[in-house]
């Protein structure tokens, strides 16, 4: 949860994002492309670069700062108070600044720390070490997310998502899930009232996983998810709309849920962007209705994982 909050904080903060991959590495490139698509959906100025590219040619904009050697500026808005003294104390842990006013209150929101250098978020995908990051990128004050799956990875990021032997696209998908949540939260903030199914959508995002081999996005909702969300089966519509909105990279989508009936049963939706053959394969397993490349089906099973496994086996 701490990593999720940190990623959300820094993705919100940075407008510019660079995704860096090694040269001629197909796995890293595919993962990078998926991140690029999702970041742009979120409105970020995202760029995908290989490590040997010349990423930054523009000059850093000049500032009016009196000290061109400074990296950060602390601004203090006096408002109704006046600063009378400022002094500092150097400690082993860092630096303490002491401010004295004329007696009126100075609020913490009146004190702002901002960088003087143009900044960007750097997401390194499949890059083993900081030494392999181009010097032009190092010159920026970057917050780094390091995504890797090799034992040679040196865990050089501020956040390290390193899972040995796991496909990079599946590791990157954990960030894409967070981006999807952020996009949803942004939509909600602009809405006069939360749409029907908003609470259930959060549960849907939490359950998401990506199968790289099948390019399959899977979401599962239990009966308890519906109870906790105070939702009904019809509220699945919002989840489906968001899943196919374009922020998630996949060729096929499987959404399963436990239908509150007597007895409890599993229902589902299968969607394929391009394969009618796979739609027909799933249709052969359960009673279903097909419309274009979408299929809604019902089963006599009561176990979500069992239905998921049946479908994955027939698609493999």
């Amino acid at each position: 949860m701490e990593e999720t909050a940190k990623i959300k904080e820094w993705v919100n903060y940075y407008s510019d994002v660079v995704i860096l991959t090694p040269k001629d590495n197909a796995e890293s490139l595919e993962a990078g492309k998926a991140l690029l698509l999702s970041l742009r959906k979120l409105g970020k100025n995202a760029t995908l670069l290989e490590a040997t590219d010349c990423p930054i040619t523009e000059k850093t904009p000049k500032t009016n700062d009196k000290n061109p050697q400074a990296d950060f500026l602390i601004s203090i808005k006096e408002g109704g108070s006046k600063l009378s003294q400022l002094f500092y104390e150097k400690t082993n842990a860092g630096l303490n600044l002491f401010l004295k006013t004329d007696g009126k209150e100075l609020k913490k929101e009146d004190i702002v720390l901002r960088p003087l250098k143009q900044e960007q978020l750097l997401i390194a995908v499949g890059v083993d070490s900081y030494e392999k990051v181009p010097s032009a990128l190092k010159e920026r004050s970057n917050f780094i997310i390091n995504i890797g799956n090799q034992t040679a990875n040196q865990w050089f990021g501020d956040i390290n998502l390193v899972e040995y032997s796991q496909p990079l696209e599946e590791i990157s998908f954990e960030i894409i899930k967070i981006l999807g949540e952020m996009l949803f939260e942004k939509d909600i903030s602009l809405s006069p009232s939360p749409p029907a199914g908003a609470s259930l959508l959060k549960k849907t995002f939490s359950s998401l996983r990506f199968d790289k081999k099948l390019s399959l996005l899977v979401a599962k909702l239990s009966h308890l998810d519906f109870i906790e969300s105070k939702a009904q089966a019809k509220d699945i519509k919002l989840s489906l709309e968001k899943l196919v909105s374009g922020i998630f990279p996949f060729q096929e989508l499987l959404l399963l849920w436990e239908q509150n009936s007597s007895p409890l049963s599993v229902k589902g939706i299968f969607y394929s962007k391009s394969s009618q053959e796979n739609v027909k394969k799933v249709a052969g397993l359960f009673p279903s209705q097909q419309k274009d490349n979408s299929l809604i089906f019902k089963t006599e099973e009561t176990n979500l994982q069992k239905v998921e496994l049946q479908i994955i086996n027939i698609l493999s």
Side-chain angles (χ1 to χ4, degrees):
M1 288 298 292
E2 184 178 343
E3 277 190 349
T4 297
K6 206 169 184 181
I7 291 171
K8 280 187 176 181
E9 177 186 352
W10 289 104
V11 169
N12 267 326
Y13 177 78
Y14 290 107
S15 298
D16 298 328
V17 184
V18 171
I19 303 161
L20 182 70
T21 68
K23 182 71 174 176
D24 298 327
N25 186 305
E27 183 188 12
S28 298
L29 188 60
E30 286 304 309
K33 286 179 179 177
L35 284 165
L36 180 71
L37 175 67
S38 300
L39 284 161
R40 287 181 173 175
K41 276 281 182 181
L42 197 58
K44 298 298 175 179
N45 179 28
T47 307
L48 177 61
L49 300 166
E50 290 185 319
T52 54
D53 290 339
C54 181
I56 303 168
T57 56
E58 72 272 15
K59 295 180 179 179
T60 303
K62 293 182 178 180
T63 68
N64 293 323
D65 303 303
K66 293 182 179 180
N67 186 353
Q69 303 302 317
D71 294 319
F72 294 90
L73 172 68
I74 299 175
S75 299
I76 302 170
K77 185 166 59 177
E78 292 182 318
S81 62
K82 294 291 182 182
L83 291 175
S84 56
Q85 292 184 42
L86 185 153
F87 54 97
Y88 70 91
E89 175 188 41
K90 186 73 174 70
T91 68
N92 291 333
L95 184 72
N96 294 324
L97 293 177
F98 297 89
L99 308 175
K100 184 173 178 60
T101 69
D102 60 3
K104 294 182 180 179
E105 183 180 5
L106 185 66
K107 298 179 181 179
K108 63 179 182 180
E109 54 263 33
D110 295 329
I111 303 173
V112 179
L113 173 68
R114 67 178 180 89
L116 296 178
K117 294 181 180 179
Q118 190 175 356
E119 289 189 315
Q120 64 194 11
L121 169 63
L122 176 62
I123 303 177
V125 184
V127 179
D128 292 337
S129 67
Y130 186 66
E131 286 69 28
K132 294 182 179 180
V133 176
S135 57
L137 287 177
K138 291 178 181 178
E139 290 172 4
R140 301 259 186 115
S141 299
N142 298 312
F143 180 86
I144 301 175
I145 299 175
N146 166 37
I147 300 172
N149 61 359
Q150 301 297 317
T151 55
N153 191 286
Q154 295 183 10
W155 294 65
F156 59 91
D158 297 283
I159 289 180
N160 296 286
L161 302 177
V162 181
E163 298 287 343
Y164 302 132
S165 301
Q166 187 174 344
L168 287 174
E169 282 189 71
E170 293 185 6
I171 303 172
S172 299
F173 183 73
E174 294 306 308
I175 295 180
I176 293 172
K177 278 173 63 174
I178 295 170
L179 300 177
E181 291 175 6
M182 292 174 65
L183 186 61
F184 162 67
E185 289 165 359
K186 182 180 177 182
D187 291 344
I188 291 296
S189 68
L190 298 174
S191 177
S193 60
S199 297
L200 188 64
L201 179 58
K202 292 182 180 180
K203 297 284 189 182
T204 305
F205 280 158
S206 297
S207 76
L208 281 176
R209 76 171 189 85
F210 180 67
D211 187 310
K212 165 66 174 67
K213 183 179 177 181
L214 298 175
S215 190
L216 176 69
L217 187 63
V218 181
K220 300 191 294 288
L221 295 167
S222 69
H223 178 48
L224 183 60
D225 289 329
F226 283 90
I227 293 174
E228 292 177 347
S229 304
K230 298 179 181 179
Q232 303 176 35
K234 65 180 182 180
D235 296 324
I236 288 174
K237 180 181 178 183
L238 179 64
S239 293
L240 188 61
E241 287 175 354
K242 296 300 180 183
L243 292 177
V244 300
S245 64
I247 196 166
F248 297 110
F250 64 86
Q251 287 300 312
E252 293 171 332
L253 166 69
L254 176 62
L255 175 60
L256 299 173
W257 68 92
E258 292 178 344
Q259 180 70 37
N260 183 17
S261 58
S262 184
L264 194 75
S265 64
V266 174
K267 288 191 173 183
I269 294 172
F270 179 77
Y271 167 73
S272 177
K273 288 183 177 179
S274 56
S275 177
Q276 281 284 342
E277 181 183 353
N278 283 344
V279 174
K280 290 177 180 177
K281 284 181 181 179
V282 177
L285 291 175
F286 315 108
S288 58
Q289 291 181 324
Q290 181 179 346
K291 182 178 180 181
D292 299 325
N293 283 14
S294 298
L295 188 77
I296 184 167
F297 58 88
K298 59 181 180 179
T299 78
E300 295 182 358
E301 299 290 347
T302 58
N303 187 286
L304 287 165
Q305 285 72 25
K306 188 174 180 180
V307 175
E308 178 188 359
L309 187 59
Q310 283 180 270
I311 293 174
I312 286 177
N313 285 340
I314 202 170
L315 295 176
S316 298

